[in-house]
Amino acid sequence: MDALKFWAVFSIGVAAGAAVALIYAPQSGAKTRKQLKRKLEDATDYLKDATENIGDYADKAAKRGRDVWEDVADSASKAASRGVKTVSDLI
């Protein structure tokens, strides 16, 4: 299991455990519902932030990949040109 799946499953487990703990806590239903709503809003905000961070990381990785690919293609083109020139000089 890769790290991303592990942390996703772990986070879901923690959230489920917290929800069960809040539901069975000895307090009024209104207070419990208010806490659950607040925690859900916090989790939603966290997921939005994490999604934006992942998107930024993916954009940077894609740009770096394109840059590397362009460098490799340019190097291969130059090497092929040198090879053709060498063969032409030998003939």
Side-chain angles (χ1 to χ4, degrees):
M1 183 182 300
D2 65 359
L4 181 61
K5 286 183 184 178
F6 171 79
W7 286 110
V9 171
F10 179 77
S11 298
I12 290 170
V14 168
V20 169
L22 286 173
I23 289 170
Y24 286 105
Q27 60 187 6
S28 70
K31 188 173 181 178
T32 300
R33 285 189 294 276
K34 191 178 212 179
Q35 283 180 332
L36 285 172
K37 183 180 177 185
R38 191 175 320 129
K39 295 293 182 184
L40 183 60
E41 288 171 354
D42 290 346
T44 302
D45 291 340
Y46 173 78
L47 288 175
K48 286 178 183 176
D49 291 342
T51 302
E52 289 174 8
N53 290 340
I54 290 171
D56 292 343
Y57 178 78
D59 288 342
K60 289 178 184 176
K63 184 181 181 314
R64 178 151 167 69
R66 281 191 301 270
D67 291 345
V68 168
W69 176 251
E70 289 172 359
D71 290 345
V72 168
D74 188 45
S75 295
S77 175
K78 287 178 182 178
S81 296
R82 283 192 304 264
V84 167
K85 184 174 181 336
T86 302
V87 170
S88 296
D89 290 345
L90 291 174
I91 295 177

